[in-house]
Amino acid sequence: MAKIGTIDVGDFPLLLAPMEDVSDPPFRALCKEQGADVVYTEFISSEGLIRDAAKSVMKLDIYEKERPVGIQIFGAVLDSMLQSVEIVEASGPDIIDINFGCPVKKVVSKGAGAGILKDIDLMVSLTEAMVKHTKLPITVKTRLGWDHDSIRIVEVAERLQDVGCKALSIHGRTRAQMYKGEADWAPIAEVKNNPRMHIPIFGNGDVDSPEKAKEMRDVYGLDGAMIGRASIGYPWFFKEVKHYFETGEHAPPPTMTERVAAARRHLQMAIDWKGEQLGVFETRRHYTNYFKGIPNFKEHRMKMVTSDDAASVFEAFDEALALFGDYQFA
Ligand SMILES: Cc1cc2nc3c(=O)[nH]c(=O)nc-3n(C[C@H](O)[C@H](O)[C@H](O)COP(=O)(O)O)c2cc1C
């Protein structure tokens, strides 16, 4: 049974990864309904939060039905991080997660995200200060290291645990790899197998089938799997992994009726949360996966992803259901 601080997150929990412009309240709700045990917000800039930047503040919205939920923040300046811990606390999350893994230039160049992997002492001291500043459990999400020659994740994990970090999610790539190549779970297993470690170690990177999740559990011995891209437009992934764990068999894929219903709810929740324009725009990226594999679907997908008004997108869903309602997904 894995525990994040005092929060019981079950046996081999499946965690929805923080994903910018993806892990918003509507999507988190769908993933939660489909079996995600812990969900995270997308990363939120500590500098944005303390400036009260509206876009950052909106990302703090969380809902009872999604608990336990972690709010993820990033930054590299102690004072801003501590101030943002206070702002985040006021939203009432269960967990505060620190992003020490984002590889993009605009974040890394400020020493934040994976940029901090070049200064492990700062990574540890920031974590320690944040742990001391809140009663909520602080967790960390990071990568294996800055590049292949500087992987010291076993030592880094020990040090983070020693200063009070309550769980660690490790993406099995270095910053230098960005998203290229295959995630390497062996160094994550090394962290887990260190007899000094007692906090949960969650594996992340390339879990895109129930078999891979099982491998992460049974072969690599990790405490849970954090799932990102495989869930985009496919919140059923969590339930499918659990079904496979329980039965050793693949669950039947969702029907067209279920897919259209999920897409409709997703869009409606997004509109309710952030208004029609943004809701329509930001839900687009999910449709390709919701309707993946249907032959001759291009015209319908195009209507879904190019319409600027909600009514046209809902109409496209209805048309798709009328035409492809009987489609058998593989
Ligand atoms: C669109 C997108 C946005 C992401 N945004 C974040 C983020 O805000 N915070 C974070 O820690 N990681 C972020 N990531 C990285 C994921 O959390 C995860 O580590 C990565 O995708 C590898 O896991 P996967 O193979 O299961 O997708 C993002 C990834 C994607 C694809």
Side-chain angles (χ1 to χ4, degrees), residues 81-100:
M81 289 298 264
L82 293 183
Q83 279 187 61
S84 43
V85 163
E86 291 167 23
I87 297 168
V88 166
E89 258 186 341
S91 297
D94 303 285
I95 298 160
I96 299 180
D97 187 71
I98 320 174
N99 178 318
F100 287 146

Side-chain angles (χ1 to χ4, degrees), residues 94-283:
D94 303 285
I95 298 160
I96 299 180
D97 187 71
I98 320 174
N99 178 318
F100 287 146
C102 176
V104 307
K105 229 183 204 150
K106 70 171 192 239
V107 172
V108 167
S109 63
K110 296 196 175 96
I116 207 141
L117 289 166
K118 284 180 153 178
D119 188 349
I120 302 298
D121 288 343
L122 179 61
M123 181 183 192
V124 173
S125 64
L126 268 181
T127 305
E128 181 172 24
M130 290 171 69
V131 167
K132 286 182 172 156
H133 206 63
T134 178
K135 289 201 168 57
L136 290 174
I138 294 282
T139 61
V140 164
K141 177 166 181 276
T142 190
R143 289 184 172 232
L144 298 179
W146 177 258
D147 58 19
H148 186 263
D149 298 329
S150 61
I151 296 180
R152 288 158 55 201
I153 190 65
V154 172
E155 176 201 332
V156 169
E158 266 196 31
R159 291 183 65 187
L160 291 172
Q161 175 180 270
D162 288 348
V163 298
C165 172
K166 294 293 190 291
L168 204 51
S169 302
I170 305 172
H171 179 181
R173 289 186 173 84
T174 61
R175 190 275 167 174
Q177 281 177 290
M178 304 296 283
Y179 286 91
K180 292 194 285 283
E182 266 182 36
D184 182 1
W185 299 343
I188 313 176
E190 261 182 72
V191 172
K192 174 63 197 167
N193 291 333
N194 175 356
R196 277 208 60 224
M197 294 305 287
H198 54 78
I199 58 172
I201 304 301
F202 303 127
N204 172 240
D206 300 351
V207 178
D208 56 8
S209 65
E211 286 85 348
K212 287 229 188 122
K214 189 168 186 293
E215 191 182 347
M216 191 173 256
R217 185 186 70 174
D218 297 349
V219 180
Y220 289 82
L222 304 184
D223 293 306
M226 178 176 269
I227 290 152
R229 289 166 293 179
S231 69
I232 300 179
Y234 203 78
W236 301 277
F237 188 73
F238 299 94
K239 201 176 238 176
E240 291 184 355
V241 170
K242 288 186 169 176
H243 181 89
Y244 186 74
F245 282 178
E246 279 160 23
T247 65
E249 287 174 9
H250 285 263
T255 62
M256 185 64 175
T257 305
E258 288 167 320
R259 288 167 195 251
V260 169
R264 288 188 78 90
R265 283 194 55 225
H266 195 161
L267 177 58
Q268 190 56 57
M269 287 192 282
I271 293 168
D272 293 345
W273 179 58
K274 53 192 161 190
E276 178 166 352
Q277 196 183 13
L278 269 182
V280 166
F281 183 72
E282 289 185 359
T283 314

